[in-house]
Amino acid sequence: MELEQLRNVFRNALELPDEFPVDELEYRGNEKWDSLAHMSLVAAIEDEFGVMLDTDEVIDLSSFDRARQILEKHEVVLTD
């Protein structure tokens, strides 16, 4: 799978512009990423990549980079 898919999931779930740079994005680092948007993001990641995040992972999903790491733990390999 491509890393761009994860970027698009972030942009769509957080209602960000299509070209918004999300690679350095962190929770609450953008006004759009609040607690409600966080749950939408989690659901979108689960749907897009066919994974089920546990409670600790949902809480730990604090940045774009962390989302990559969590997906890798679920054996989702993202290439650029």
Side-chain angles (χ1 to χ4, degrees), residues 12-62:
N12 291 334
L14 302 178
E15 299 177 355
L16 299 168
D18 289 343
E19 296 304 317
F20 190 91
V22 296
D23 289 27
E24 303 298 321
L25 195 58
E26 295 184 359
Y27 181 62
R28 299 211 182 215
N30 181 290
E31 63 186 26
K32 300 261 186 174
W33 194 354
D34 59 14
S35 57
L36 184 58
H38 186 76
M39 296 315 295
S40 295
L41 177 60
V42 168
I45 288 171
E46 290 177 333
D47 289 346
E48 180 72 20
F49 297 101
V51 297
M52 183 65 104
L53 304 183
D54 65 33
T55 303
D56 289 338
E57 291 169 329
V58 170
I59 293 167
D60 194 34
L61 201 159
S62 57

mmCIF file of all heavy atoms in Angstrom, residues 12-62:
data_model
loop_
_atom_site.group_PDB
_atom_site.id
_atom_site.type_symbol
_atom_site.label_atom_id
_atom_site.label_comp_id
_atom_site.label_asym_id
_atom_site.label_seq_id
_atom_site.Cartn_x
_atom_site.Cartn_y
_atom_site.Cartn_z
ATOM 1 N N ASN A 12 -8.851 13.668 4.507
ATOM 2 C CA ASN A 12 -10.305 13.515 4.448
ATOM 3 C C ASN A 12 -10.942 13.524 5.831
ATOM 4 O O ASN A 12 -11.930 14.218 6.060
ATOM 5 C CB ASN A 12 -10.673 12.232 3.700
ATOM 6 C CG ASN A 12 -10.354 12.312 2.224
ATOM 7 O OD1 ASN A 12 -10.316 13.384 1.638
ATOM 8 N ND2 ASN A 12 -10.099 11.169 1.616
ATOM 9 N N ALA A 13 -10.388 12.752 6.750
ATOM 10 C CA ALA A 13 -10.972 12.648 8.088
ATOM 11 C C ALA A 13 -10.901 13.976 8.843
ATOM 12 O O ALA A 13 -11.804 14.296 9.619
ATOM 13 C CB ALA A 13 -10.283 11.554 8.882
ATOM 14 N N LEU A 14 -9.836 14.733 8.613
ATOM 15 C CA LEU A 14 -9.655 16.005 9.325
ATOM 16 C C LEU A 14 -10.128 17.199 8.507
ATOM 17 O O LEU A 14 -9.964 18.344 8.918
ATOM 18 C CB LEU A 14 -8.178 16.180 9.714
ATOM 19 C CG LEU A 14 -7.601 15.070 10.595
ATOM 20 C CD1 LEU A 14 -6.123 15.329 10.875
ATOM 21 C CD2 LEU A 14 -8.371 14.930 11.896
ATOM 22 N N GLU A 15 -10.717 16.903 7.347
ATOM 23 C CA GLU A 15 -11.255 17.941 6.467
ATOM 24 C C GLU A 15 -10.203 19.002 6.139
ATOM 25 O O GLU A 15 -10.443 20.203 6.266
ATOM 26 C CB GLU A 15 -12.513 18.563 7.075
ATOM 27 C CG GLU A 15 -13.622 17.558 7.286
ATOM 28 C CD GLU A 15 -14.851 18.150 7.950
ATOM 29 O OE1 GLU A 15 -14.837 19.328 8.339
ATOM 30 O OE2 GLU A 15 -15.839 17.412 8.069
ATOM 31 N N LEU A 16 -9.060 18.530 5.673
ATOM 32 C CA LEU A 16 -7.951 19.396 5.295
ATOM 33 C C LEU A 16 -7.891 19.491 3.774
ATOM 34 O O LEU A 16 -8.349 18.587 3.081
ATOM 35 C CB LEU A 16 -6.633 18.833 5.840
ATOM 36 C CG LEU A 16 -6.547 18.722 7.359
ATOM 37 C CD1 LEU A 16 -5.328 17.889 7.761
ATOM 38 C CD2 LEU A 16 -6.485 20.101 7.992
ATOM 39 N N PRO A 17 -7.301 20.555 3.242
ATOM 40 C CA PRO A 17 -7.178 20.687 1.785
ATOM 41 C C PRO A 17 -6.375 19.529 1.179
ATOM 42 O O PRO A 17 -5.535 18.918 1.847
ATOM 43 C CB PRO A 17 -6.418 22.012 1.610
ATOM 44 C CG PRO A 17 -6.603 22.749 2.892
ATOM 45 C CD PRO A 17 -6.773 21.711 3.963
ATOM 46 N N ASP A 18 -6.621 19.249 -0.088
ATOM 47 C CA ASP A 18 -6.007 18.108 -0.769
ATOM 48 C C ASP A 18 -4.491 18.095 -0.719
ATOM 49 O O ASP A 18 -3.895 17.025 -0.674
ATOM 50 C CB ASP A 18 -6.450 18.058 -2.234
ATOM 51 C CG ASP A 18 -7.914 17.656 -2.365
ATOM 52 O OD1 ASP A 18 -8.479 17.116 -1.398
ATOM 53 O OD2 ASP A 18 -8.478 17.876 -3.451
ATOM 54 N N GLU A 19 -3.865 19.226 -0.739
ATOM 55 C CA GLU A 19 -2.402 19.277 -0.757
ATOM 56 C C GLU A 19 -1.804 19.615 0.612
ATOM 57 O O GLU A 19 -0.618 19.893 0.717
ATOM 58 C CB GLU A 19 -1.930 20.289 -1.807
ATOM 59 C CG GLU A 19 -2.311 19.912 -3.222
ATOM 60 C CD GLU A 19 -1.806 18.534 -3.642
ATOM 61 O OE1 GLU A 19 -0.643 18.194 -3.338
ATOM 62 O OE2 GLU A 19 -2.586 17.791 -4.259
ATOM 63 N N PHE A 20 -2.613 19.572 1.657
ATOM 64 C CA PHE A 20 -2.123 19.907 2.994
ATOM 65 C C PHE A 20 -1.034 18.910 3.404
ATOM 66 O O PHE A 20 -1.227 17.693 3.316
ATOM 67 C CB PHE A 20 -3.266 19.868 4.009
ATOM 68 C CG PHE A 20 -2.892 20.425 5.350
ATOM 69 C CD1 PHE A 20 -3.087 21.762 5.631
ATOM 70 C CD2 PHE A 20 -2.343 19.608 6.332
ATOM 71 C CE1 PHE A 20 -2.745 22.280 6.874
ATOM 72 C CE2 PHE A 20 -1.994 20.116 7.570
ATOM 73 C CZ PHE A 20 -2.202 21.463 7.840
ATOM 74 N N PRO A 21 0.130 19.412 3.862
ATOM 75 C CA PRO A 21 1.211 18.508 4.272
ATOM 76 C C PRO A 21 0.921 17.888 5.648
ATOM 77 O O PRO A 21 0.905 18.587 6.656
ATOM 78 C CB PRO A 21 2.432 19.427 4.327
ATOM 79 C CG PRO A 21 1.871 20.787 4.598
ATOM 80 C CD PRO A 21 0.502 20.812 3.968
ATOM 81 N N VAL A 22 0.681 16.601 5.680
ATOM 82 C CA VAL A 22 0.289 15.948 6.933
ATOM 83 C C VAL A 22 1.411 15.155 7.596
ATOM 84 O O VAL A 22 1.255 14.702 8.723
ATOM 85 C CB VAL A 22 -0.933 15.028 6.729
ATOM 86 C CG1 VAL A 22 -2.155 15.812 6.310
ATOM 87 C CG2 VAL A 22 -0.629 13.925 5.741
ATOM 88 N N ASP A 23 2.552 14.995 6.919
ATOM 89 C CA ASP A 23 3.610 14.134 7.445
ATOM 90 C C ASP A 23 4.124 14.555 8.826
ATOM 91 O O ASP A 23 4.555 13.710 9.601
ATOM 92 C CB ASP A 23 4.780 14.057 6.467
ATOM 93 C CG ASP A 23 4.434 13.262 5.218
ATOM 94 O OD1 ASP A 23 3.242 13.209 4.839
ATOM 95 O OD2 ASP A 23 5.349 12.689 4.616
ATOM 96 N N GLU A 24 4.070 15.818 9.132
ATOM 97 C CA GLU A 24 4.544 16.315 10.433
ATOM 98 C C GLU A 24 3.383 16.633 11.391
ATOM 99 O O GLU A 24 3.600 17.181 12.469
ATOM 100 C CB GLU A 24 5.391 17.578 10.240
ATOM 101 C CG GLU A 24 6.585 17.393 9.314
ATOM 102 C CD GLU A 24 7.577 16.362 9.827
ATOM 103 O OE1 GLU A 24 7.814 16.324 11.053
ATOM 104 O OE2 GLU A 24 8.106 15.594 9.006
ATOM 105 N N LEU A 25 2.169 16.282 10.990
ATOM 106 C CA LEU A 25 0.978 16.623 11.766
ATOM 107 C C LEU A 25 0.942 15.862 13.086
ATOM 108 O O LEU A 25 1.243 14.666 13.143
ATOM 109 C CB LEU A 25 -0.268 16.293 10.952
ATOM 110 C CG LEU A 25 -1.593 16.877 11.415
ATOM 111 C CD1 LEU A 25 -1.540 18.401 11.463
ATOM 112 C CD2 LEU A 25 -2.706 16.444 10.474
ATOM 113 N N GLU A 26 0.578 16.571 14.150
ATOM 114 C CA GLU A 26 0.434 15.974 15.473
ATOM 115 C C GLU A 26 -0.933 16.336 16.052
ATOM 116 O O GLU A 26 -1.497 17.372 15.734
ATOM 117 C CB GLU A 26 1.534 16.475 16.406
ATOM 118 C CG GLU A 26 2.915 16.034 15.992
ATOM 119 C CD GLU A 26 3.992 16.445 16.982
ATOM 120 O OE1 GLU A 26 3.668 17.102 17.987
ATOM 121 O OE2 GLU A 26 5.152 16.093 16.738
ATOM 122 N N TYR A 27 -1.418 15.439 16.916
ATOM 123 C CA TYR A 27 -2.706 15.661 17.573
ATOM 124 C C TYR A 27 -2.715 17.020 18.272
ATOM 125 O O TYR A 27 -1.772 17.353 18.989
ATOM 126 C CB TYR A 27 -2.967 14.533 18.577
ATOM 127 C CG TYR A 27 -4.285 14.644 19.305
ATOM 128 C CD1 TYR A 27 -5.479 14.610 18.605
ATOM 129 C CD2 TYR A 27 -4.326 14.762 20.679
ATOM 130 C CE1 TYR A 27 -6.689 14.691 19.268
ATOM 131 C CE2 TYR A 27 -5.538 14.846 21.359
ATOM 132 C CZ TYR A 27 -6.714 14.817 20.643
ATOM 133 O OH TYR A 27 -7.908 14.903 21.293
ATOM 134 N N ARG A 28 -3.755 17.752 18.035
ATOM 135 C CA ARG A 28 -3.951 19.104 18.561
ATOM 136 C C ARG A 28 -2.931 20.107 18.024
ATOM 137 O O ARG A 28 -2.867 21.228 18.492
ATOM 138 C CB ARG A 28 -3.970 19.108 20.083
ATOM 139 C CG ARG A 28 -5.108 18.243 20.611
ATOM 140 C CD ARG A 28 -5.634 18.744 21.880
ATOM 141 N NE ARG A 28 -6.673 17.834 22.335
ATOM 142 C CZ ARG A 28 -7.732 18.227 22.965
ATOM 143 N NH1 ARG A 28 -7.906 19.472 23.246
ATOM 144 N NH2 ARG A 28 -8.633 17.350 23.351
ATOM 145 N N GLY A 29 -2.139 19.692 17.046
ATOM 146 C CA GLY A 29 -1.215 20.597 16.383
ATOM 147 C C GLY A 29 -1.912 21.377 15.282
ATOM 148 O O GLY A 29 -1.339 22.280 14.685
ATOM 149 N N ASN A 30 -3.149 21.003 15.017
ATOM 150 C CA ASN A 30 -3.981 21.672 14.025
ATOM 151 C C ASN A 30 -5.379 21.757 14.626
ATOM 152 O O ASN A 30 -5.855 20.789 15.217
ATOM 153 C CB ASN A 30 -3.989 20.866 12.717
ATOM 154 C CG ASN A 30 -4.822 21.504 11.634
ATOM 155 O OD1 ASN A 30 -6.044 21.531 11.724
ATOM 156 N ND2 ASN A 30 -4.155 22.007 10.615
ATOM 157 N N GLU A 31 -6.021 22.887 14.460
ATOM 158 C CA GLU A 31 -7.346 23.077 15.084
ATOM 159 C C GLU A 31 -8.377 22.061 14.604
ATOM 160 O O GLU A 31 -9.358 21.781 15.302
ATOM 161 C CB GLU A 31 -7.857 24.488 14.815
ATOM 162 C CG GLU A 31 -8.090 24.792 13.354
ATOM 163 C CD GLU A 31 -8.459 26.239 13.097
ATOM 164 O OE1 GLU A 31 -8.084 27.100 13.902
ATOM 165 O OE2 GLU A 31 -9.112 26.485 12.081
ATOM 166 N N LYS A 32 -8.170 21.470 13.447
ATOM 167 C CA LYS A 32 -9.119 20.478 12.920
ATOM 168 C C LYS A 32 -9.010 19.125 13.631
ATOM 169 O O LYS A 32 -9.937 18.342 13.626
ATOM 170 C CB LYS A 32 -8.878 20.269 11.422
ATOM 171 C CG LYS A 32 -9.049 21.500 10.590
ATOM 172 C CD LYS A 32 -10.373 21.518 9.963
ATOM 173 C CE LYS A 32 -10.482 22.695 9.009
ATOM 174 N NZ LYS A 32 -11.701 22.665 8.279
ATOM 175 N N TRP A 33 -7.843 18.849 14.231
ATOM 176 C CA TRP A 33 -7.642 17.545 14.872
ATOM 177 C C TRP A 33 -7.963 17.648 16.357
ATOM 178 O O TRP A 33 -7.107 17.731 17.205
ATOM 179 C CB TRP A 33 -6.220 17.055 14.650
ATOM 180 C CG TRP A 33 -6.006 15.593 14.985
ATOM 181 C CD1 TRP A 33 -6.893 14.737 15.552
ATOM 182 C CD2 TRP A 33 -4.825 14.842 14.768
ATOM 183 N NE1 TRP A 33 -6.333 13.496 15.711
ATOM 184 C CE2 TRP A 33 -5.053 13.531 15.229
ATOM 185 C CE3 TRP A 33 -3.579 15.143 14.241
ATOM 186 C CZ2 TRP A 33 -4.091 12.529 15.174
ATOM 187 C CZ3 TRP A 33 -2.626 14.146 14.185
ATOM 188 C CH2 TRP A 33 -2.890 12.857 14.641
ATOM 189 N N ASP A 34 -9.254 17.611 16.646
ATOM 190 C CA ASP A 34 -9.720 17.615 18.029
ATOM 191 C C ASP A 34 -10.178 16.195 18.379
ATOM 192 O O ASP A 34 -9.987 15.268 17.596
ATOM 193 C CB ASP A 34 -10.835 18.646 18.231
ATOM 194 C CG ASP A 34 -12.050 18.402 17.334
ATOM 195 O OD1 ASP A 34 -12.173 17.302 16.740
ATOM 196 O OD2 ASP A 34 -12.876 19.312 17.225
ATOM 197 N N SER A 35 -10.783 16.021 19.532
ATOM 198 C CA SER A 35 -11.148 14.671 19.981
ATOM 199 C C SER A 35 -12.202 14.016 19.085
ATOM 200 O O SER A 35 -12.140 12.810 18.831
ATOM 201 C CB SER A 35 -11.617 14.698 21.429
ATOM 202 O OG SER A 35 -12.705 15.578 21.575
ATOM 203 N N LEU A 36 -13.137 14.791 18.580
ATOM 204 C CA LEU A 36 -14.162 14.236 17.695
ATOM 205 C C LEU A 36 -13.539 13.822 16.356
ATOM 206 O O LEU A 36 -13.795 12.721 15.847
ATOM 207 C CB LEU A 36 -15.282 15.248 17.470
ATOM 208 C CG LEU A 36 -16.470 14.774 16.647
ATOM 209 C CD1 LEU A 36 -17.115 13.545 17.279
ATOM 210 C CD2 LEU A 36 -17.483 15.886 16.501
ATOM 211 N N ALA A 37 -12.699 14.678 15.798
ATOM 212 C CA ALA A 37 -12.023 14.358 14.543
ATOM 213 C C ALA A 37 -11.090 13.159 14.732
ATOM 214 O O ALA A 37 -10.894 12.369 13.804
ATOM 215 C CB ALA A 37 -11.248 15.570 14.036
ATOM 216 N N HIS A 38 -10.554 13.010 15.931
ATOM 217 C CA HIS A 38 -9.667 11.880 16.215
ATOM 218 C C HIS A 38 -10.419 10.565 16.028
ATOM 219 O O HIS A 38 -9.890 9.627 15.424
ATOM 220 C CB HIS A 38 -9.115 11.988 17.644
ATOM 221 C CG HIS A 38 -8.089 10.958 17.976
ATOM 222 N ND1 HIS A 38 -6.802 11.044 17.511
ATOM 223 C CD2 HIS A 38 -8.169 9.817 18.709
ATOM 224 C CE1 HIS A 38 -6.117 9.988 17.965
ATOM 225 N NE2 HIS A 38 -6.926 9.234 18.686
ATOM 226 N N MET A 39 -11.631 10.498 16.515
ATOM 227 C CA MET A 39 -12.410 9.271 16.379
ATOM 228 C C MET A 39 -12.779 9.013 14.919
ATOM 229 O O MET A 39 -12.790 7.868 14.464
ATOM 230 C CB MET A 39 -13.656 9.314 17.281
ATOM 231 C CG MET A 39 -13.314 9.370 18.766
ATOM 232 S SD MET A 39 -12.024 8.208 19.300
ATOM 233 C CE MET A 39 -12.816 6.646 18.999
ATOM 234 N N SER A 40 -13.057 10.068 14.170
ATOM 235 C CA SER A 40 -13.324 9.917 12.731
ATOM 236 C C SER A 40 -12.077 9.409 12.012
ATOM 237 O O SER A 40 -12.167 8.566 11.115
ATOM 238 C CB SER A 40 -13.747 11.251 12.120
ATOM 239 O OG SER A 40 -14.975 11.672 12.652
ATOM 240 N N LEU A 41 -10.928 9.928 12.407
ATOM 241 C CA LEU A 41 -9.666 9.499 11.822
ATOM 242 C C LEU A 41 -9.407 8.025 12.106
ATOM 243 O O LEU A 41 -9.026 7.261 11.210
ATOM 244 C CB LEU A 41 -8.521 10.362 12.352
ATOM 245 C CG LEU A 41 -7.118 9.993 11.895
ATOM 246 C CD1 LEU A 41 -6.990 10.082 10.379
ATOM 247 C CD2 LEU A 41 -6.101 10.887 12.582
ATOM 248 N N VAL A 42 -9.629 7.604 13.330
ATOM 249 C CA VAL A 42 -9.436 6.199 13.703
ATOM 250 C C VAL A 42 -10.341 5.304 12.849
ATOM 251 O O VAL A 42 -9.882 4.306 12.278
ATOM 252 C CB VAL A 42 -9.714 5.977 15.211
ATOM 253 C CG1 VAL A 42 -9.809 4.495 15.541
ATOM 254 C CG2 VAL A 42 -8.635 6.656 16.048
ATOM 255 N N ALA A 43 -11.601 5.664 12.735
ATOM 256 C CA ALA A 43 -12.538 4.869 11.936
ATOM 257 C C ALA A 43 -12.112 4.827 10.468
ATOM 258 O O ALA A 43 -12.185 3.767 9.826
ATOM 259 C CB ALA A 43 -13.948 5.444 12.063
ATOM 260 N N ALA A 44 -11.644 5.943 9.948
ATOM 261 C CA ALA A 44 -11.215 5.999 8.553
ATOM 262 C C ALA A 44 -9.975 5.134 8.318
ATOM 263 O O ALA A 44 -9.870 4.448 7.295
ATOM 264 C CB ALA A 44 -10.944 7.446 8.153
ATOM 265 N N ILE A 45 -9.041 5.159 9.249
ATOM 266 C CA ILE A 45 -7.837 4.320 9.141
ATOM 267 C C ILE A 45 -8.231 2.841 9.177
ATOM 268 O O ILE A 45 -7.759 2.035 8.377
ATOM 269 C CB ILE A 45 -6.833 4.652 10.262
ATOM 270 C CG1 ILE A 45 -6.188 6.025 9.991
ATOM 271 C CG2 ILE A 45 -5.760 3.569 10.380
ATOM 272 C CD1 ILE A 45 -5.337 6.552 11.128
ATOM 273 N N GLU A 46 -9.108 2.486 10.100
ATOM 274 C CA GLU A 46 -9.549 1.095 10.197
ATOM 275 C C GLU A 46 -10.222 0.639 8.903
ATOM 276 O O GLU A 46 -9.951 -0.453 8.409
ATOM 277 C CB GLU A 46 -10.484 0.921 11.392
ATOM 278 C CG GLU A 46 -9.789 1.041 12.729
ATOM 279 C CD GLU A 46 -10.723 0.931 13.918
ATOM 280 O OE1 GLU A 46 -11.927 1.260 13.792
ATOM 281 O OE2 GLU A 46 -10.249 0.495 14.983
ATOM 282 N N ASP A 47 -11.076 1.475 8.354
ATOM 283 C CA ASP A 47 -11.782 1.130 7.114
ATOM 284 C C ASP A 47 -10.829 1.018 5.932
ATOM 285 O O ASP A 47 -10.903 0.064 5.152
ATOM 286 C CB ASP A 47 -12.865 2.163 6.788
ATOM 287 C CG ASP A 47 -14.054 2.093 7.724
ATOM 288 O OD1 ASP A 47 -14.197 1.095 8.459
ATOM 289 O OD2 ASP A 47 -14.846 3.060 7.735
ATOM 290 N N GLU A 48 -9.948 1.985 5.789
ATOM 291 C CA GLU A 48 -9.054 2.030 4.637
ATOM 292 C C GLU A 48 -8.060 0.868 4.619
ATOM 293 O O GLU A 48 -7.759 0.318 3.566
ATOM 294 C CB GLU A 48 -8.284 3.351 4.618
ATOM 295 C CG GLU A 48 -7.329 3.509 3.459
ATOM 296 C CD GLU A 48 -8.008 3.731 2.115
ATOM 297 O OE1 GLU A 48 -9.194 4.136 2.084
ATOM 298 O OE2 GLU A 48 -7.355 3.504 1.087
ATOM 299 N N PHE A 49 -7.563 0.499 5.784
ATOM 300 C CA PHE A 49 -6.489 -0.485 5.841
ATOM 301 C C PHE A 49 -6.922 -1.843 6.397
ATOM 302 O O PHE A 49 -6.098 -2.747 6.547
ATOM 303 C CB PHE A 49 -5.311 0.082 6.646
ATOM 304 C CG PHE A 49 -4.718 1.300 5.990
ATOM 305 C CD1 PHE A 49 -5.026 2.570 6.446
ATOM 306 C CD2 PHE A 49 -3.880 1.175 4.887
ATOM 307 C CE1 PHE A 49 -4.498 3.698 5.834
ATOM 308 C CE2 PHE A 49 -3.345 2.296 4.269
ATOM 309 C CZ PHE A 49 -3.661 3.555 4.732
ATOM 310 N N GLY A 50 -8.207 -2.001 6.712
ATOM 311 C CA GLY A 50 -8.726 -3.289 7.156
ATOM 312 C C GLY A 50 -8.127 -3.773 8.462
ATOM 313 O O GLY A 50 -7.833 -4.958 8.609
ATOM 314 N N VAL A 51 -7.943 -2.843 9.391
ATOM 315 C CA VAL A 51 -7.391 -3.185 10.704
ATOM 316 C C VAL A 51 -8.378 -2.778 11.788
ATOM 317 O O VAL A 51 -9.302 -2.015 11.534
ATOM 318 C CB VAL A 51 -6.029 -2.493 10.954
ATOM 319 C CG1 VAL A 51 -4.994 -2.968 9.952
ATOM 320 C CG2 VAL A 51 -6.154 -0.987 10.940
ATOM 321 N N MET A 52 -8.155 -3.300 12.979
ATOM 322 C CA MET A 52 -8.940 -2.894 14.140
ATOM 323 C C MET A 52 -7.962 -2.443 15.204
ATOM 324 O O MET A 52 -7.172 -3.241 15.713
ATOM 325 C CB MET A 52 -9.790 -4.062 14.651
ATOM 326 C CG MET A 52 -10.671 -3.667 15.804
ATOM 327 S SD MET A 52 -11.898 -2.455 15.335
ATOM 328 C CE MET A 52 -13.330 -3.459 15.256
ATOM 329 N N LEU A 53 -7.988 -1.150 15.514
ATOM 330 C CA LEU A 53 -7.073 -0.608 16.514
ATOM 331 C C LEU A 53 -7.637 -0.848 17.904
ATOM 332 O O LEU A 53 -8.835 -0.668 18.135
ATOM 333 C CB LEU A 53 -6.868 0.886 16.291
ATOM 334 C CG LEU A 53 -6.369 1.312 14.906
ATOM 335 C CD1 LEU A 53 -6.133 2.823 14.874
ATOM 336 C CD2 LEU A 53 -5.125 0.567 14.504
ATOM 337 N N ASP A 54 -6.758 -1.262 18.817
ATOM 338 C CA ASP A 54 -7.221 -1.440 20.186
ATOM 339 C C ASP A 54 -7.195 -0.090 20.918
ATOM 340 O O ASP A 54 -6.709 0.908 20.386
ATOM 341 C CB ASP A 54 -6.418 -2.520 20.913
ATOM 342 C CG ASP A 54 -4.948 -2.171 21.109
ATOM 343 O OD1 ASP A 54 -4.605 -0.983 21.284
ATOM 344 O OD2 ASP A 54 -4.130 -3.115 21.123
ATOM 345 N N THR A 55 -7.717 -0.069 22.095
ATOM 346 C CA THR A 55 -7.859 1.175 22.851
ATOM 347 C C THR A 55 -6.530 1.884 23.052
ATOM 348 O O THR A 55 -6.438 3.104 22.881
ATOM 349 C CB THR A 55 -8.529 0.901 24.216
ATOM 350 O OG1 THR A 55 -9.797 0.278 23.987
ATOM 351 C CG2 THR A 55 -8.728 2.187 24.991
ATOM 352 N N ASP A 56 -5.489 1.135 23.386
ATOM 353 C CA ASP A 56 -4.169 1.746 23.588
ATOM 354 C C ASP A 56 -3.658 2.395 22.308
ATOM 355 O O ASP A 56 -3.055 3.462 22.343
ATOM 356 C CB ASP A 56 -3.163 0.718 24.094
ATOM 357 C CG ASP A 56 -3.432 0.301 25.529
ATOM 358 O OD1 ASP A 56 -4.096 1.070 26.264
ATOM 359 O OD2 ASP A 56 -2.988 -0.792 25.924
ATOM 360 N N GLU A 57 -3.897 1.762 21.170
ATOM 361 C CA GLU A 57 -3.463 2.327 19.895
ATOM 362 C C GLU A 57 -4.246 3.592 19.550
ATOM 363 O O GLU A 57 -3.672 4.549 19.030
ATOM 364 C CB GLU A 57 -3.607 1.291 18.779
ATOM 365 C CG GLU A 57 -2.633 0.144 18.918
ATOM 366 C CD GLU A 57 -2.922 -1.014 17.996
ATOM 367 O OE1 GLU A 57 -4.108 -1.256 17.664
ATOM 368 O OE2 GLU A 57 -1.959 -1.690 17.607
ATOM 369 N N VAL A 58 -5.533 3.584 19.835
ATOM 370 C CA VAL A 58 -6.354 4.774 19.586
ATOM 371 C C VAL A 58 -5.814 5.950 20.397
ATOM 372 O O VAL A 58 -5.675 7.063 19.886
ATOM 373 C CB VAL A 58 -7.834 4.502 19.924
ATOM 374 C CG1 VAL A 58 -8.646 5.792 19.894
ATOM 375 C CG2 VAL A 58 -8.420 3.475 18.963
ATOM 376 N N ILE A 59 -5.491 5.694 21.640
ATOM 377 C CA ILE A 59 -4.957 6.749 22.507
ATOM 378 C C ILE A 59 -3.564 7.171 22.044
ATOM 379 O O ILE A 59 -3.225 8.352 22.060
ATOM 380 C CB ILE A 59 -4.922 6.269 23.975
ATOM 381 C CG1 ILE A 59 -6.354 6.083 24.479
ATOM 382 C CG2 ILE A 59 -4.145 7.234 24.855
ATOM 383 C CD1 ILE A 59 -6.463 5.334 25.793
ATOM 384 N N ASP A 60 -2.778 6.214 21.603
ATOM 385 C CA ASP A 60 -1.391 6.467 21.196
ATOM 386 C C ASP A 60 -1.269 7.109 19.819
ATOM 387 O O ASP A 60 -0.216 7.612 19.459
ATOM 388 C CB ASP A 60 -0.619 5.141 21.231
ATOM 389 C CG ASP A 60 0.880 5.337 21.169
ATOM 390 O OD1 ASP A 60 1.375 6.351 21.716
ATOM 391 O OD2 ASP A 60 1.552 4.481 20.579
ATOM 392 N N LEU A 61 -2.330 7.123 19.041
ATOM 393 C CA LEU A 61 -2.287 7.690 17.696
ATOM 394 C C LEU A 61 -2.231 9.218 17.810
ATOM 395 O O LEU A 61 -3.234 9.901 17.771
ATOM 396 C CB LEU A 61 -3.521 7.254 16.904
ATOM 397 C CG LEU A 61 -3.423 7.321 15.398
ATOM 398 C CD1 LEU A 61 -4.456 6.412 14.777
ATOM 399 C CD2 LEU A 61 -3.550 8.701 14.855
ATOM 400 N N SER A 62 -1.030 9.713 17.980
ATOM 401 C CA SER A 62 -0.846 11.124 18.305
ATOM 402 C C SER A 62 -0.183 11.930 17.197
ATOM 403 O O SER A 62 0.031 13.130 17.350
ATOM 404 C CB SER A 62 0.002 11.249 19.575
ATOM 405 O OG SER A 62 1.248 10.589 19.373
#
